[in-house]
Amino acid sequence: MDGLHTTSAAAAEHQTGEHEPFDRGYTPQVSGVLVRTVVPSPLIRWILPARIRHKNKSDVIFVGDSSIEVKEYRGDSLYEVVTKDDFDATIRAARVIGTPPILLRAEQPSGLDAITKKEDTGEASADAMGLDLFASPEVPPQILVLAMESGLKDKLLFLFAFYDPSQRIRFLSYEHPLLYHKRYAQRLGKHVAVDPRSRAMAVAATSGSFIVYTLKTMAQLREEVESPAGLLQDKFVPIKSERLMKLDGVILKMEFLHPRREDEYHVVLLIVFSIGERIKLRVYDWDHAKDLQSIVTGGDFLVGSNKRVPLLLIPFTLTTGFILVSEDTMAFYHNIFARSMVPAYLKHAHEDIKEPGSSRRLPLFTSWARPTRREDWNLKNDAFYLCREDGVVLFLEFCRDALPLSIKSELGGISVNVDTAFAVLFDGGIGNSQIDGRSYDMLVAAGDMSNGVVARFEARKRPEPHKSIPNWAPMMDFCTAHVAPDFASSAARPSIPYESRIHEHERVFGCFGRGRDHGAVGEIQMGVEASSRINFEINNGTTGMWILPDVSGSSSSTCVLMTNLEDMTTLLRIQNDGSGAEEIVDLEDLCGIDVDSVTLTAGSTLAHVVIQITKRSIRALSPQLGCRFIHTFEKETVTLAHIDGQSSAILIATNNNFLHYGEFVIRNREIALGWIDDPVSPFSLASEASCVYLVKFEQYKFAFVGTTAGQLHLFRVDHKVGLTLLLTHDFHGDFAICDSIAVIARDTENIIDPLMAVVCGLRNGSIHNFFFDVRNGNVTLELTEFLSLGTTTVTVRSDTSSYSGPNHLCRRALISCAENFCRLYYQPSRWASYQTVIQNVWLSAPDQPSIRQSHITCVAQADPWIFDQESVSGFLFFINDSRLHLTELDNGLRSSPIVRKMPVPGTPNRIAFSRLLNMLAVAFTTIRVREFQEDRTKGLSQRKRLVYPTLMFLDPNGRHTQDSKDLIHGTLYSATSEPQRLPLGVPMNIGPSGTKVLGLMEWRPSVLGKEFPLLVVNTLRTRKGGRANSGSIQIYHITKNAPTTVVIELKHNISVAKPVYSLASYGASSLVFCSGTTLSLRTMADVDGVPKWVVMPGYELNTMALHISIREPYIYLSTASNSVMVFKVEDTLLVPQTSDTSGRSGLHHLLIPNRSLILSANTEKTLAGLWQSPEPPLDRSSRTVFEAILPVSIRKLCEGSIKPPWLIIPETSPRVILGSSIDGSFRQFELINEDTWRLLRFIQNMAERNATLCPYTYAESLMTHIEPRLREKCMEIKGDLLCRLLDRGSPDTAALLHAMLEKEPDLDRRAYDFDTWQARQQRFFEIVDIALEPTTLQKQDRVKVVVDFLRRKILPPVI
């Protein structure tokens, strides 16, 4: 693993000498650290199509390192089903047992044409026939098998999913322990193989042994597990018998082979292993009807000594044979029971290499998958897909009656890098997918340092990518950046001066990907995705937007988009499936829409009456009845209006501060508008209205009116007395004017709730939330909270995609404020007020991966009571940067990573943010292949691979980015001592071949009274043989010439004898760096009026320093042998102060000055908190305050203001400690004191023993006492586990916590628990009183106080 790091621009600036020294005499009030995963790893190790829920559900299982995602393949798309991440263990291998899918019999063509075509067979799927899949849980056709590694225990886990009576997905599982071995290479679980008929299974270690299991049939399992009362957990035991086998050598591959079809009892297992440099084959076979003691072996067969290590082992289905795929050949074995197996060889063709020179070797085949075919075709044919690591896919077909290899067709590439996650999907119907009468296979591959892909493979055609699978791992480097907004191009100019804002929100950028086609810089965002299906340019002056039925009446399958311009209204017809947009059509003559006036609002009713309200008129029309209605205003103009389509009502405010309420009715096929107030003397407001809103709940109708006086009025609508003012709420503060309102239902699982939520968007950038109670006819409006989102006006609207039928309300609201676009809803709880949940909504576009969501100016959704799900209902329309996007909004409640990618034409490894340029600087390697003649007389040519270091600047918002991929093959910019204009997105060569950038840092030294804007690059240079033996420090002068250009000039190129592994700035004009194992300091000083470098004596370290940070006069190093070393600059010497004597192998560190702590991350998967004493101790050692054990090593630590604005609590720091790992995951670290640690650790210890929260590891936690004990190691609080407690306990988390407190202690484990549950509860309450200091009233229900504390502490995301 590459552990080379340097101080990023933001971190370097944060850790300069401007800070106060560590507090003298201060003892750190820190006992532990709260760790929570904020961005999960995207790595996928295997993809397994399997029906683990129901026979009619085509599931696809994405297996990660410690979790699985179950998706459903339906209609050429993958839909999220469930994520299971409570294994608390590492998955080493995964397979599927059970009955494979079988297609219906039909006449079949050959080759790819053998893909099934759908025919009218008179049969339908369960869904199509309306069967209830959830009425009676049953054992599905297939079961997932995972080989797990958890601490000192290894096990097999068998599991499948089912729906409980409440239609929630549950898992039924069985654990089978594996024999543990102290040597990791001999621990079982590295290889898992399953018999093609699921009669047997084998699990092997890396070397030394394997174990064979006899499995029960699926019919046996169904008979034992299924019952009228439900599925019986204790009866689910898939294993019948087992036998441990020994094998001397390293096991390379293991697979079961296919016996002859007529052979019902024969089981054949093949193992490929190595002893020394020899590779051998060994075959085990036995009679399935007998016990496992009948296993025999026919001896070993030596694989040719000139052949490479096999990469893949692929069994045949027609014969008991197989294929061994190596780096350059395929070996075909057909008769394994012959005395001497003589294979046939086929050499690979490597002409179509996707990225020549990307590696020193030829690309390897990494995975294979067998497609599902009809049974009659399988009797005589065999076929599979073979995938190479650069994305090239081969299709091979075999025929029983022909030569061993009858067809070999190369289909081409799928444009991604592929490792082991590769599969062919099966749709679960009567055949595979079909389009326009042509059949095809759908292949899915997870990316290896690239995105994954779902691709369509049609017979004799090139593959067609269908959908991308995001992947940002491994994350090579990341930084946080406060990107200054470009107000010149933004519609969201704040009412408060930008410089006066207290909170400067920072964004997270990382670099990842490999090669010219997959390298990228990405912005890491968490929230819900709004995936753009179509987008097009729209007038920049658009101020309003509404979705209406096709008012022309020409088609019932289209909708009309009405938009507002400065002085007119335009109409745009959009196709029902969102696949495209037709030209703008003037429909005035057809339907009576007033296109010459500005529309204030528009909508439609349940009777499909379309309503348009302008300043001077109200228009209503019914295409179905062919009638229309027009009402004009002569003496007044309409300023605000709202339409309630469900009650056919309107509420308008006029320029003379009057309110009018009316309802539309249809009588005798004519539209009429009835006013309930007196048009001559309507209700008069004391001040101008700022917003109006109508809502109906059961038999009640209410009107909300905001005014410019900072008030919110609530009216009851009565047909007899008109508008009756019920109450008024006063907003306080500057610009506290309500500009928009949304009334939503609390999410109560479709139960009619008399409490509603009123969300008000204010002009000062905040939202105020109320609970609106209409029980027993008494109306109350209670302010529950107010949250700040920005400095511009907040616009709120109901999210109609969450429309709830029982109470006729939406359950979510959409909120926009400047660049913040969010979704709000309420999470239910049975013990307290509902929890407010706010999620970012992020725009994504498959054809524009670098698109940046800016200020959302207009938002529109179709009314769900008008449009069905097959039309535009559920789609979200909004305008972003003068482009109209039709998006599909993710309706899931969980936030997920949405990564905005900016392509980089190479493999990026370092990134930094320049505050001066307001740009990202990214360093990456580019590869060029140069051909030269080896022998001029014979005309022989040879290729040479050249690797160059490259620098590029990017706009963080994705603008002004050029397509720079082609520039790699053309003329590159090169670093020179002369100023040159470098366009954004264009690479510049900054060194000779063999140079690698190890760090980037923005530096602003002050010399001769001037400050210089510089970019410092530290490098290593490899010579022939791949050994690093030199380095350099390059210093560039950088300025911003134009929004799209950087002027860059090479000022200094300091060559050193050893690689420069790390670097940081010291003081006003000094650089500290580690060259090889030498720590050096150089100062740019004024020497006779000329700036020159002054070199101080260096200090020789034991090992290289991978990271340097500064807090003057101290220098902090993370070294490969000491996690942290501290030096002090005294006169002209570097004097060592303290070091971590524990011998941790350091990767990165972060200074926490206000706690006198140093956080140190190392390769041992731990995070240590080291105390920085004001005076060096006598033994010069740093005291370890705590050590936290993590699932993965942290490569880089950073502190930034990355919290969303609504999570920032006044008088608290918005800064968050963030750490990245090589697997692409990000974790948040929060330092906590002893009292908080004891409380959270007590809850964690109880949760780890709870079978609901830790179903697979709860028994392993019984050997430690439940009472928290302060110690140096294992001081982490598992935030993910506490999140699981809140999630699985919802809506009554308090009840689950009560159950854990009141559980009777196990008599056999009394030494690790309290004697009684009463003693446990009493001790817990004592800790709660110390940590939270509840009031006398709160002490009556301490558990409620704890759950509320957990929600505030654990749940909110930080990105």
Side-chain angles (χ1 to χ4, degrees):
M1 180 178 64
D2 183 7
L4 308 177
H5 292 277
T6 189
T7 306
S8 67
E13 185 163 308
H14 180 61
Q15 299 172 8
T16 59
E18 299 173 1
H19 299 281
E20 295 294 329
F22 284 156
D23 296 336
R24 292 183 173 274
Y26 175 79
T27 302
Q29 301 298 313
V30 175
S31 294
V33 59
L34 172 61
V35 185
R36 186 194 164 187
T37 302
V38 292
V39 178
S41 170
L43 285 178
I44 301 170
R45 300 183 63 187
W46 299 280
I47 300 176
L48 303 173
R51 302 180 185 186
I52 66 165
R53 285 185 300 155
H54 191 273
K55 62 183 177 182
N56 292 329
K57 295 293 184 182
S58 295
D59 295 326
V60 183
I61 305 168
F62 287 65
V63 183
D65 282 327
S66 58
S67 64
I68 62 172
E69 291 181 66
V70 180
K71 302 176 185 287
E72 183 176 352
Y73 174 52
R74 186 176 70 251
D76 285 356
S77 296
L78 292 173
Y79 297 90
E80 301 283 346
V81 175
V82 67
T83 297
K84 188 169 178 61
D85 54 4
D86 59 357
F87 298 115
D88 299 317
T90 301
I91 301 175
R92 299 189 67 192
R95 284 296 181 100
V96 174
I97 64 173
T99 307
I102 299 176
L103 298 183
L104 299 179
R105 295 175 59 87
E107 186 177 352
Q108 281 288 303
S110 63
L112 283 177
D113 289 332
I115 303 171
T116 309
K117 294 185 177 180
K118 293 185 177 180
E119 300 172 356
D120 185 8
T121 61
E123 299 186 27
S125 65
D127 288 343
M129 293 184 292
L131 298 181
D132 185 0
L133 302 179
F134 319 117
S136 177
E138 59 184 35
V139 177
Q142 293 175 298
I143 296 172
L144 178 65
V145 184
L146 302 175
M148 312 290 292
E149 172 191 332
S150 175
L152 301 179
K153 292 188 177 181
D154 298 330
K155 58 190 173 186
L156 289 177
L157 183 64
F158 299 78
L159 75 161
F160 64 86
F162 65 95
Y163 286 87
D164 65 10
S166 63
Q167 297 191 6
R168 292 187 177 183
I169 293 181
R170 306 294 185 188
F171 284 88
L172 193 70
S173 60
Y174 166 74
E175 296 180 48
H176 188 81
L178 292 173
L179 184 65
Y180 178 77
H181 200 284
K182 292 183 179 180
R183 291 185 58 188
Y184 188 77
Q186 297 186 15
R187 292 178 66 172
L188 295 165
K190 171 64 175 176
H191 305 277
V192 176
V194 176
D195 173 61
R197 301 173 188 173
S198 293
R199 301 166 299 177
M201 186 176 70
V203 179
T206 302
S207 64
S209 63
F210 65 97
I211 191 166
V212 179
Y213 299 95
T214 300
L215 302 178
K216 296 178 182 178
T217 65
M218 298 304 296
Q220 287 178 291
L221 288 176
R222 291 189 186 96
E223 184 178 351
E224 296 174 355
V225 176
E226 294 176 1
S227 74
L231 300 176
L232 305 177
Q233 167 76 58
D234 57 337
K235 298 296 184 181
F236 180 47
V237 183
I239 294 176
K240 292 171 62 176
S241 61
E242 61 183 275
R243 178 185 175 185
L244 179 66
M245 309 282 289
K246 297 294 184 179
L247 186 146
D248 294 331
V250 177
I251 299 175
L252 304 175
K253 298 291 175 183
M254 180 175 69
E255 286 285 355
F256 281 89
L257 303 183
H258 290 254
R260 298 188 308 273
R261 291 183 178 271
E262 61 274 12
D263 189 345
E264 297 182 2
Y265 302 103
H266 208 195
V267 181
V268 183
L269 175 66
L270 173 68
I271 296 181
V272 183
F273 64 101
S274 65
I275 300 179
E277 297 183 355
R278 296 180 299 172
I279 300 175
K280 294 184 176 182
L281 306 175
R282 182 177 295 177
V283 178
Y284 297 87
D285 67 285
W286 66 95
D287 189 339
H288 176 64
K290 300 179 181 178
D291 59 29
L292 294 177
Q293 300 303 318
S294 64
I295 296 178
V296 296
T297 178
D300 298 342
F301 297 89
L302 185 65
V303 177
S305 58
N306 61 333
K307 305 303 172 190
R308 304 291 182 93
V309 174
L311 305 172
L312 299 173
L313 169 58
I314 306 174
F316 287 131
T317 60
L318 300 177
T319 65
T320 310
F322 58 93
I323 304 174
L324 281 182
V325 181
S326 61
E327 181 178 346
D328 51 3
T329 59
M330 295 184 194
F332 299 84
Y333 294 82
H334 289 281
N335 188 2
I336 64 167
F337 294 109
R339 293 186 176 180
S340 61
M341 289 190 291
V342 180
Y345 293 103
L346 179 66
K347 200 166 185 63
H348 299 327
H350 285 97
E351 291 82 5
D352 186 20
I353 297 178
K354 295 304 175 184
E355 288 193 46
S358 60
S359 175
R360 291 186 176 90
R361 55 168 175 75
L362 294 173
L364 305 177
F365 285 98
T366 56
S367 52
W368 68 279
R370 180 171 277 116
T372 302
R373 295 289 187 262
R374 289 199 172 101
E375 187 177 5
D376 55 345
W377 186 87
N378 289 333
L379 293 174
K380 297 182 179 180
N381 302 275
D382 188 10
F384 60 84
Y385 290 94
L386 192 60
C387 190
R388 210 166 65 186
E389 62 181 333
D390 59 351
V392 170
V393 177
L394 305 181
F395 177 76
L396 281 81
E397 183 186 65
F398 304 88
C399 179
R400 180 185 296 273
D401 302 327
L403 297 174
L405 181 64
S406 59
I407 295 178
K408 173 178 178 289
S409 99
E410 183 170 327
L411 298 181
I414 52 178
S415 303
V416 298
N417 300 326
V418 182
D419 194 7
T420 55
F422 176 74
V424 184
L425 302 183
F426 173 68
D427 70 355
I430 60 173
N432 269 18
S433 304
Q434 188 180 58
I435 182 171
D436 297 332
R438 302 185 306 273
S439 51
Y440 55 87
D441 276 332
M442 293 294 289
L443 268 63
V444 58
D448 176 29
M449 294 189 74
S450 74
N451 276 350
V453 70
V454 179
R456 178 186 291 124
F457 280 74
E458 191 178 339
R460 293 176 296 279
K461 289 191 177 182
R462 307 297 289 181
E464 178 184 348
H466 185 66
K467 184 177 177 60
S468 180
I469 301 175
N471 177 34
W472 55 92
M475 181 72 67
M476 304 308 298
D477 193 15
F478 87 99
C479 69
T480 60
H482 167 60
V483 182
D486 182 10
F487 292 132
S489 62
S490 174
R493 186 181 299 275
S495 55
I496 302 174
Y498 178 75
E499 293 77 9
S500 67
R501 294 189 62 189
I502 297 176
H503 170 54
E504 292 186 351
H505 181 260
E506 293 178 282
R507 292 148 59 182
V508 180
F509 294 89
C511 58
F512 45 84
R514 180 181 65 211
R516 182 185 67 241
D517 297 330
H518 306 297
V521 167
E523 181 178 3
I524 312 299
Q525 307 166 131
M526 289 293 292
V528 292
E529 184 177 16
S531 179
S532 180
R533 297 184 54 162
I534 61 170
N535 66 88
F536 49 87
E537 200 75 28
I538 198 167
N539 194 301
N540 198 28
T542 303
T543 58
M545 187 165 57
W546 302 269
I547 307 298
L548 304 171
D550 190 351
V551 290
S552 67
S554 60
S555 174
S556 60
S557 61
T558 60
C559 72
V560 170
L561 176 67
M562 176 185 289
T563 60
N564 243 358
L565 297 181
E566 295 179 358
D567 57 355
M568 62 180 296
T569 297
T570 61
L571 301 174
L572 179 68
R573 179 181 289 122
I574 298 181
Q575 296 179 359
N576 66 324
D577 59 357
S579 61
E582 298 178 348
E583 61 181 351
I584 297 177
V585 180
D586 185 357
L587 301 177
E588 181 189 13
D589 296 335
L590 297 176
C591 61
I593 293 293
D594 183 4
V595 296
D596 294 326
S597 301
V598 176
T599 300
L600 296 179
T601 188
S604 53
T605 70
L606 291 171
H608 291 252
V609 174
V610 176
I611 304 171
Q612 179 198 22
I613 303 178
T614 67
K615 291 183 178 181
R616 289 288 184 181
S617 68
I618 301 174
R619 294 175 178 242
L621 53 106
S622 173
Q624 295 179 348
L625 300 178
C627 58
R628 68 181 64 180
F629 168 87
I630 300 178
H631 173 82
T632 58
F633 295 88
E634 301 295 339
K635 297 181 180 181
E636 58 186 352
T637 59
V638 180
T639 57
L640 295 168
H642 183 256
I643 300 171
D644 181 17
Q646 296 184 82
S647 58
S648 302
I650 62 171
L651 178 66
I652 64 173
T654 59
N655 60 333
N656 49 11
N657 296 342
F658 287 153
L659 291 177
H660 298 273
Y661 175 89
E663 294 183 4
F664 284 96
V665 294
I666 298 178
R667 296 191 185 101
N668 301 321
R669 301 182 64 85
E670 292 294 333
I671 302 173
L673 175 60
W675 301 99
I676 68 167
D677 52 357
D678 185 357
V680 179
S681 58
F683 190 93
S684 178
L685 295 171
S687 56
E688 182 183 352
S690 57
C691 64
V692 294
Y693 190 88
L694 279 174
V695 63
K696 178 183 178 182
F697 184 79
E698 294 183 335
Q699 73 271 25
Y700 302 108
K701 296 179 183 178
F702 300 95
F704 291 88
V705 179
T707 69
T708 55
Q711 293 181 320
L712 176 66
H713 299 302
L714 172 60
F715 297 88
R716 173 178 286 154
V717 180
D718 191 283
H719 288 273
K720 295 181 180 180
V721 298
L723 297 174
T724 303
L725 180 62
L726 299 178
L727 53 87
T728 298
H729 174 83
D730 293 316
F731 298 105
H732 301 283
D734 296 333
F735 302 100
I737 299 171
C738 182
D739 280 337
S740 57
I741 300 173
V743 178
I744 60 175
R746 304 188 306 178
D747 197 350
T748 53
E749 300 180 357
N750 294 326
I751 299 174
I752 296 180
D753 191 343
L755 275 176
M756 295 174 284
V758 181
V759 185
C760 297
L762 272 62
R763 198 169 294 180
N764 60 9
S766 65
I767 59 172
H768 287 232
N769 297 336
F770 301 83
F771 277 168
F772 180 36
D773 192 351
V774 297
R775 283 178 288 194
N776 303 321
N778 298 321
V779 178
T780 60
L781 191 66
E782 177 189 359
L783 177 64
T784 57
E785 62 184 343
F786 56 90
L787 303 169
S788 177
L789 271 71
T791 56
T792 63
T793 186
V794 178
T795 302
V796 300
R797 60 166 293 127
S798 300
D799 177 11
T800 58
S801 67
S802 64
Y803 174 74
S804 174
N807 51 20
H808 305 290
L809 290 174
C810 299
R811 295 196 296 270
R812 295 191 287 265
L814 296 174
I815 306 173
S816 60
C817 176
E819 293 188 356
N820 294 312
F821 188 34
C822 320
R823 189 173 72 179
L824 179 147
Y825 66 94
Y826 289 91
Q827 190 169 18
S829 173
R830 293 194 179 120
W831 55 266
S833 298
Y834 278 36
Q835 176 79 14
T836 306
V837 179
I838 301 180
Q839 299 169 308
N840 279 307
V841 176
W842 296 109
L843 171 66
S844 69
D847 57 335
Q848 296 174 285
S850 64
I851 189 171
R852 166 66 182 170
Q853 180 174 298
S854 60
H855 180 64
I856 306 299
T857 55
C858 296
V859 178
Q861 284 180 297
D863 294 328
W865 52 84
I866 297 296
F867 297 93
D868 56 29
Q869 292 299 321
E870 295 180 356
S871 58
V872 295
S873 179
F875 290 113
L876 178 66
F877 296 74
F878 59 81
I879 298 176
N880 175 73
D881 245 358
S882 301
R883 293 193 70 84
L884 174 64
H885 292 266
L886 189 159
T887 67
E888 194 170 1
L889 184 62
D890 182 6
N891 278 323
L893 297 182
R894 295 183 59 173
S895 294
S896 58
I898 296 101
V899 180
R900 183 177 67 89
K901 301 178 74 170
M902 293 172 280
V904 171
T907 303
N909 64 317
R910 290 296 178 266
I911 187 173
F913 178 70
S914 169
R915 293 180 68 95
L916 172 68
L917 302 178
N918 201 36
M919 295 178 184
L920 293 168
V922 57
F924 56 98
T925 58
T926 57
I927 298 173
R928 280 177 280 177
V929 178
R930 185 170 60 188
E931 294 192 8
F932 61 93
Q933 286 190 347
E934 187 179 37
D935 190 337
R936 296 182 180 273
T937 60
K938 297 182 179 180
L940 298 178
S941 62
Q942 187 175 352
R943 290 183 174 184
K944 187 175 182 180
R945 178 177 177 268
L946 303 175
V947 182
Y948 290 94
T950 313
L951 179 68
M952 190 165 71
F953 293 93
L954 293 171
D955 179 1
N957 294 325
R959 299 189 299 264
H960 319 304
T961 302
Q962 303 182 17
D963 187 3
S964 55
K965 292 182 180 181
D966 296 334
L967 295 176
I968 294 299
H969 305 288
T971 302
L972 280 173
Y973 284 78
S974 296
T976 65
S977 58
E978 298 294 329
Q980 55 181 327
R981 300 174 186 271
L982 181 66
L984 293 186
V986 175
M988 182 180 74
N989 190 349
I990 59 173
S993 175
T995 303
K996 182 180 180 181
V997 175
L998 298 183
L1000 296 172
M1001 183 186 70
E1002 187 179 35
W1003 187 33
R1004 301 182 191 179
S1006 180
V1007 183
L1008 300 177
K1010 295 182 180 180
E1011 187 177 82
F1012 297 90
L1014 304 176
L1015 181 70
V1016 184
V1017 182
N1018 54 293
T1019 70
L1020 68 80
R1021 177 98 184 267
T1022 56
R1023 301 290 184 182
K1024 191 173 182 179
R1027 299 188 62 182
N1029 55 6
S1030 66
S1032 67
I1033 300 175
Q1034 302 174 16
I1035 302 177
Y1036 295 89
H1037 186 274
I1038 53 173
T1039 56
K1040 193 173 184 178
N1041 176 259
T1044 62
T1045 307
V1046 175
V1047 177
I1048 184 167
E1049 176 186 358
L1050 179 61
K1051 286 293 187 180
H1052 302 276
N1053 190 357
I1054 305 172
S1055 297
V1056 291
K1058 297 294 182 180
V1060 181
Y1061 292 107
S1062 52
L1063 176 145
S1065 62
Y1066 183 92
S1069 58
S1070 299
L1071 288 177
V1072 180
F1073 60 93
C1074 177
S1075 174
T1077 57
T1078 303
L1079 182 65
S1080 303
L1081 188 147
R1082 295 193 182 194
T1083 302
M1084 186 180 293
D1086 179 4
V1087 180
D1088 298 330
V1090 179
K1092 290 186 178 180
W1093 287 105
V1094 176
V1095 182
M1096 292 179 58
Y1099 187 92
E1100 196 66 26
L1101 306 171
N1102 292 329
T1103 55
M1104 68 186 78
L1106 303 179
H1107 174 59
I1108 302 176
S1109 64
I1110 306 296
R1111 187 175 183 82
E1112 295 178 29
Y1114 296 103
I1115 301 172
Y1116 301 84
L1117 314 177
S1118 286
T1119 69
S1121 60
N1122 299 91
S1123 62
V1124 174
M1125 296 183 68
V1126 183
F1127 287 79
K1128 187 177 182 180
V1129 180
E1130 297 181 356
D1131 296 329
T1132 60
L1133 297 177
L1134 295 169
V1135 180
Q1137 300 294 299
T1138 60
S1139 65
D1140 181 12
T1141 58
S1142 63
R1144 303 181 183 98
S1145 181
L1147 286 174
H1148 207 268
H1149 67 263
L1150 179 68
L1151 306 182
I1152 313 295
N1154 61 335
R1155 300 294 187 99
S1156 299
L1157 279 181
I1158 309 168
L1159 289 184
S1160 174
N1162 51 71
T1163 59
E1164 289 81 18
K1165 300 182 181 180
T1166 63
L1167 181 74
L1170 306 176
W1171 181 42
Q1172 176 65 22
S1173 175
E1175 299 294 339
L1178 295 178
D1179 59 356
R1180 301 285 180 176
S1181 63
S1182 299
R1183 180 167 73 88
T1184 300
V1185 178
F1186 66 84
E1187 185 177 65
I1189 300 176
L1190 307 175
V1192 292
S1193 295
I1194 300 298
R1195 285 175 57 96
K1196 186 172 184 177
L1197 291 163
C1198 186
E1199 189 177 19
S1201 300
I1202 60 176
K1203 283 186 179 180
W1206 55 86
L1207 290 180
I1208 298 174
I1209 302 173
E1211 300 179 357
T1212 61
S1213 173
R1215 303 185 70 80
V1216 170
I1217 300 173
L1218 199 65
S1220 70
S1221 301
I1222 190 68
D1223 64 355
S1225 61
F1226 284 83
R1227 284 171 174 80
Q1228 175 192 357
F1229 302 96
E1230 182 179 349
L1231 303 176
I1232 53 179
N1233 59 30
E1234 178 181 341
D1235 296 337
T1236 303
W1237 180 87
R1238 285 187 182 276
L1239 172 60
L1240 296 179
R1241 192 53 179 256
F1242 200 112
I1243 300 172
Q1244 175 180 309
N1245 289 345
M1246 291 192 298
E1248 288 178 333
R1249 299 164 183 240
N1250 186 274
T1252 300
L1253 301 176
C1254 298
Y1256 309 108
T1257 57
Y1258 67 93
E1260 300 173 14
S1261 303
L1262 299 178
M1263 299 304 293
T1264 57
H1265 200 280
I1266 203 168
E1267 168 77 17
R1269 298 280 190 263
L1270 281 177
R1271 50 185 176 177
E1272 182 179 302
K1273 295 182 179 294
C1274 303
M1275 297 299 291
E1276 72 282 354
I1277 298 297
K1278 300 176 181 178
D1280 294 346
L1281 178 56
L1282 300 184
C1283 283
R1284 198 183 303 166
L1285 166 66
L1286 294 172
D1287 180 54
R1288 297 194 178 178
S1290 180
D1292 200 357
T1293 306
L1296 178 57
L1297 190 53
H1298 268 298
M1300 292 192 296
L1301 286 170
E1302 298 171 2
K1303 180 184 178 182
E1304 288 289 348
D1306 189 346
L1307 296 178
D1308 297 333
R1309 302 289 182 182
R1310 193 68 62 86
Y1312 305 104
D1313 200 348
F1314 294 87
D1315 292 337
T1316 63
W1317 70 265
Q1318 290 88 350
R1320 184 198 306 133
Q1321 186 181 73
Q1322 180 181 354
R1323 178 55 182 153
F1324 178 74
F1325 288 160
E1326 292 173 358
I1327 295 175
V1328 171
D1329 292 343
I1330 296 173
L1332 302 184
E1333 299 180 355
T1335 64
T1336 303
L1337 180 63
Q1338 291 175 330
K1339 286 183 179 180
Q1340 296 177 8
D1341 192 351
R1342 293 181 178 87
V1343 173
K1344 171 182 175 296
V1345 176
V1346 170
V1347 174
D1348 187 42
F1349 170 73
L1350 288 177
R1351 288 188 181 277
R1352 296 194 311 269
K1353 194 81 171 176
I1354 305 297
L1355 276 185
V1358 298
I1359 295 182

